[in-house]
Amino acid sequence: GMNMLGDKKMKFLNVFGPTATTMLRTYASVRDGIENAAISAAKFGSKLRTGWNEDKLDLIADGSMNKKKAKVNLGRALKTLVHVHGIQLLLSGTYNADPHPGNILILPDGRLGLLDYGMVGRLSPKDRETVARTILALSNKDKAATAKLYRDSGYKVSFTDGRTVDDAVLHRFASFHLDRIDLSPLTLDNGETVDLMELLQSTRERVVPSWVEEGRRLGGLLMGVNAQAARPISLAKEWRPIAKEALRKNNK
């Protein structure tokens, strides 16, 4: 059983490349991360345990004299997590370059605590503009605009036999990076429908701009955390207002 699971994991890694590593780590560790965050929040003499209750995350702090129970709106906490990272990436250009669930605390009063900014990344104004425009194109489901942004920025992917990919393929790859994980069959620009796993096995990334690499790392974390909590999101939809604000501030 374990060997079969390992084989599937390696096949997945070979198909998705570096992106898969981030996705697998995120999905595997997020639950432990939430539990560890709860424990850390109660480190000053309290014992904290977590429990799922529909849309609420129960945080029960056991004090020496009594018990104090607080209801935390998990959906709101996750929305805040997505929002604040969008502000970091798109507006400030300075963001956590090594995010993982173990560095996210849900405090007893429901606020978020973000830890460990020992690795901080920075995006240039030009790269922030490109990310913002990509977010808007993805939220508008504009395949041509998304593909053009990726091509113009230097992102290159091709079939293993050397053929170039079309707009539909680039749009789906961009969706993986900055919107959502969609493993449904893909309809190419010529009308042909292809199985996604077969498509991924037959394509290879050749050049990945730094903003794509950093953006998909952060995007993979946020999409994974929400999916693990059974609240899948469209990252582009959540970040659309922030992207519009970023472009407005740059007078674009």
Side-chain angles (χ1 to χ4, degrees):
M2 290 301 294
N3 289 336
M4 182 178 297
L5 180 61
D7 291 342
K8 289 182 178 179
K9 179 178 178 180
M10 289 306 299
K11 181 178 180 180
F12 187 81
L13 286 170
N14 289 335
V15 171
F16 280 89
T19 305
T21 304
T22 299
M23 291 169 57
L24 286 172
R25 279 205 304 259
T26 297
Y27 280 88
S29 64
V30 64
R31 184 162 298 177
D32 289 340
I34 291 176
E35 291 175 356
N36 290 338
I39 293 172
S40 298
K43 62 183 178 181
F44 295 107
S46 296
K47 294 181 180 179
L48 202 81
R49 68 178 186 271
T50 61
W52 296 100
N53 179 15
E54 296 179 352
D55 288 337
K56 303 291 184 180
L57 179 66
D58 295 341
L59 299 184
I60 306 173
D62 298 330
S64 57
M65 297 297 293
N66 52 40
K67 294 182 179 180
K68 182 179 180 180
K69 183 174 181 180
K71 292 283 189 179
V72 176
N73 189 314
L74 181 60
R76 184 173 64 183
L78 291 171
K79 193 174 186 68
T80 299
L81 178 68
V82 170
H83 185 76
V84 72
H85 281 85
I87 290 174
Q88 288 180 12
L89 188 71
L90 294 167
L91 291 181
S92 75
T94 303
Y95 56 94
N96 185 359
D98 187 30
H100 62 82
N103 286 337
I104 302 168
L105 299 182
I106 302 179
L107 302 178
D109 63 0
R111 291 179 300 153
L112 285 183
L114 303 178
L115 306 179
D116 192 1
Y117 277 67
M119 291 182 62
V120 175
R122 290 176 174 82
L123 283 184
S124 68
K126 180 180 179 180
D127 283 345
R128 293 205 302 273
E129 178 188 344
T130 303
V131 176
R133 292 189 180 280
T134 301
I135 291 296
L136 293 182
L138 287 168
S139 66
N140 291 332
K141 303 184 185 303
D142 190 333
K143 294 181 181 180
T146 303
K148 186 175 188 304
L149 284 162
Y150 263 52
R151 287 195 184 97
D152 289 350
S153 71
Y155 180 83
K156 294 182 180 180
V157 60
S158 64
F159 289 99
T160 53
D161 62 9
R163 289 178 296 131
T164 59
V165 299
D166 62 15
D167 288 0
V169 173
L170 284 175
H171 180 266
R172 181 63 66 89
F173 280 24
S175 296
F176 286 155
H177 301 160
L178 292 167
D179 188 22
R180 62 195 182 96
I181 302 301
D182 182 1
L183 300 178
S184 65
L186 177 66
T187 300
L188 302 178
D189 291 347
N190 63 9
E192 178 187 357
T193 299
V194 297
D195 177 80
L196 192 68
M197 294 302 293
E198 292 180 1
L199 174 68
L200 292 171
Q201 288 174 330
S202 64
T203 55
R204 291 292 182 272
E205 289 180 320
R206 308 298 183 183
V207 180
V208 181
S210 60
W211 70 265
V212 173
E213 188 63 54
E214 296 300 327
R216 70 185 181 185
R217 185 178 185 183
L218 181 58
L221 167 76
L222 297 173
M223 286 184 276
V225 168
N226 280 268
Q228 183 68 29
R231 290 165 177 80
I233 61 168
S234 164
L235 189 61
K237 179 180 178 181
E238 296 295 330
W239 280 359
R240 179 182 175 87
I242 305 173
K244 293 177 72 173
E245 176 66 10
L247 293 175
R248 185 190 68 77
K249 285 190 172 183
N250 288 332
N251 296 317
K252 300 294 184 180

